[in-house]
Amino acid sequence: MIKAVAVVALVIGAGGCSTDSHAGAMSPEARAKATPVELDAYSKLGYRLEWRGFPTMLPGEHITRLELLDDAVVAQESAGVLTVLEARTGSIRWSDQPAGRLTKFVGVLRHNGQLLVSSESEVYFYDLATGTLKDKQHLAQVVNTKPVLAGDMLVYGCTNGQILGHLLLNGFRAWGTGLTGSVEVPPVITSNGNVAVCSTRGDLVIVDPQNGMSQGRAKIFSGPGAPIGVSDAALYIASEDHSLYAFTSEDAKPMWRKRTDAALRRKPVFWAGKVYCDMGEGEVAGGGNGLTCYDAVSGKLVWSNPKVRGEAVAVRNKRLVVWDGTTASTLQIDDGQTVESVKLDGVTMLKADKFDNGNLYAVTPTGLIAKLAPK
């Protein structure tokens, strides 16, 4: 396992960022001292700094993946180096590089005390507590998406339109189902345990993950421009055909559709009977643009805020936290009015471990991770 850490110091928060050409040789302690945090910006959002963590980084690389797994925070950088940090303290539990730096990795998930790390051709099984590599399985075909775990089955999407069911018990292909077009966004688990997948050509299918049998199909004019949103009864697809769709999650029956002038590329997020989606800057049939709230069942417009773009990442004290890649905003949950808006120049990712009053995690371009707890 990798023990050395090479990373460039960088400032988190609204105050901007700076780099140091000698930072690759700095210890985590020295980097922490050299990395002040702009506390005011996070305070305005309703959060306080709890810790800063320093995952293992090779020189010149950046964090590409962050997974929040209860007691563990998993970061993977662009050369494939994997680091597991303690969620309580931010200290490194272990780190390793599963394969060469040119290997394409597609996803990380937790299963029975193990960390399953998927590349486009293999699955690596790590002991989550110790970092010991327990097993490695070859995938029957090249995959393109993060998998979902359904029982003892990993389900992937592939560039050739195939959906691959990979059986963890023996590492064999259990089944495959074909769609037209490539599968670019990850499959999702529905409320009844089935798996939904949508291709770039707009083929939507819901399959039984144990045998790959179709439970329902639908067709839209183009594929999703963002990951699929899921509620207890529906799927929500922000499509590149300028529409937000809702389908039943049981059998892919259409529920409603909202048209707009632009391709949609931000994930729809369901919470408490509502769906929140960035509908772009153009006109939307039925009203609304910018960050927009709809009734999840009827599709009725609840409110829209044309001045706020991005994805809803959390709810804090009845305020919605929205992140557009550079600016974080809080909105009143009832009417969508902006409460605060702060620019986070030194942050590339902002994720919550739980949507309702959870912790936020901010990631800088060179891999410093800050845990932000609700105040």
Side-chain angles (χ1 to χ4, degrees):
M1 279 183 283
I2 296 173
K3 298 300 182 184
V5 177
V7 71
V8 179
L10 186 135
V11 177
I12 300 180
C17 62
S18 63
T19 60
D20 182 338
S21 61
H22 301 290
M26 294 172 64
S27 68
E29 292 79 9
R31 284 187 282 131
K33 185 176 180 180
T35 310
V37 176
E38 291 289 341
L39 300 178
D40 288 346
Y42 297 117
S43 181
K44 289 179 180 179
L45 299 175
Y47 295 85
R48 59 176 177 79
L49 178 68
E50 186 159 310
W51 53 251
R52 289 169 292 176
F54 298 85
T56 302
M57 301 281 292
L58 297 181
E61 306 299 338
H62 61 278
I63 296 294
T64 57
R65 184 168 291 107
L66 183 72
E67 298 293 343
L68 308 175
L69 308 175
D70 298 325
D71 63 323
V73 175
V74 181
Q76 191 169 34
E77 47 98 285
S78 47
V81 176
L82 193 74
T83 302
V84 177
L85 299 95
E86 301 290 347
R88 188 174 62 84
T89 64
S91 61
I92 292 179
R93 184 183 296 182
W94 57 267
S95 60
D96 195 20
Q97 187 175 24
R101 65 189 308 147
L102 298 181
T103 302
K104 177 186 175 182
F105 289 92
V106 297
V108 175
L109 54 82
R110 181 179 194 156
H111 178 56
N112 291 341
Q114 292 186 316
L115 191 67
L116 276 53
V117 183
S118 296
S119 75
E120 61 183 356
S121 60
E122 293 179 303
V123 187
Y124 302 83
F125 295 73
Y126 284 93
D127 185 303
L128 185 56
T130 65
T132 302
L133 182 63
K134 295 289 191 180
D135 193 12
K136 183 169 66 173
Q137 294 179 355
H138 183 73
L139 296 171
Q141 62 189 98
V142 174
V143 301
N144 193 46
T145 70
K146 178 182 177 179
V148 291
L149 179 65
D152 56 2
M153 199 77 64
L154 289 177
V155 181
Y156 299 86
C158 307
T159 55
N160 63 359
Q162 286 286 306
I163 310 168
L164 173 65
H166 177 85
L167 188 60
L168 288 173
L169 297 178
N170 55 23
F172 294 159
R173 168 179 167 154
W175 54 265
T177 299
L179 304 176
T180 59
S182 174
V183 181
E184 302 290 335
V185 302
V188 294
I189 296 285
T190 68
S191 58
N192 60 1
N194 287 328
V195 174
V197 184
C198 192
S199 75
T200 54
R201 292 193 181 179
D203 283 355
L204 172 65
V205 64
I206 299 173
V207 299
D208 182 328
Q210 299 311 310
N211 54 32
M213 296 295 293
S214 173
Q215 306 301 300
R217 284 181 177 266
K219 179 72 176 177
I220 60 179
F221 292 99
S222 186
I228 299 170
V230 184
S231 74
D232 53 356
L235 305 170
Y236 303 97
I237 300 176
S239 173
E240 294 196 339
D241 70 13
H242 302 192
S243 298
L244 174 63
Y245 293 91
F247 294 93
T248 60
S249 58
E250 182 178 2
D251 51 10
K253 293 291 190 297
M255 295 171 60
W256 49 263
R257 177 186 182 185
K258 299 296 177 181
R259 295 178 175 87
T260 183
D261 287 346
L264 300 182
R265 296 192 173 91
R266 295 269 170 71
K267 179 182 177 181
V269 175
F270 169 84
W271 185 73
K274 305 294 190 299
V275 175
Y276 304 92
C277 188
D278 183 344
M279 299 299 288
E281 296 179 351
E283 294 295 324
V284 177
N289 56 18
L291 200 285
T292 304
C293 174
Y294 295 103
D295 180 89
V297 176
S298 69
K300 180 182 178 181
L301 175 68
V302 179
W303 54 256
S304 66
N305 187 328
K307 296 181 179 180
V308 173
R309 307 290 306 280
E311 179 182 321
V313 296
V315 167
R316 172 67 181 140
N317 284 343
K318 297 185 178 180
R319 293 179 179 179
L320 195 67
V321 181
V322 182
W323 170 244
D324 70 359
T326 59
T327 301
S329 303
T330 55
L331 281 62
Q332 294 178 11
I333 199 74
D334 294 331
D335 60 12
Q337 294 298 305
T338 303
V339 179
E340 295 285 355
S341 185
V342 294
K343 192 172 183 181
L344 305 178
D345 292 322
V347 174
T348 58
M349 295 184 195
L350 194 66
K351 296 184 70 172
D353 57 7
K354 184 176 66 172
F355 191 78
D356 187 5
N357 284 314
N359 301 296
L360 286 181
Y361 290 81
V363 180
T364 73
T366 47
L368 185 148
I369 299 174
K371 181 180 180 180
L372 309 167
K375 292 198 301 180

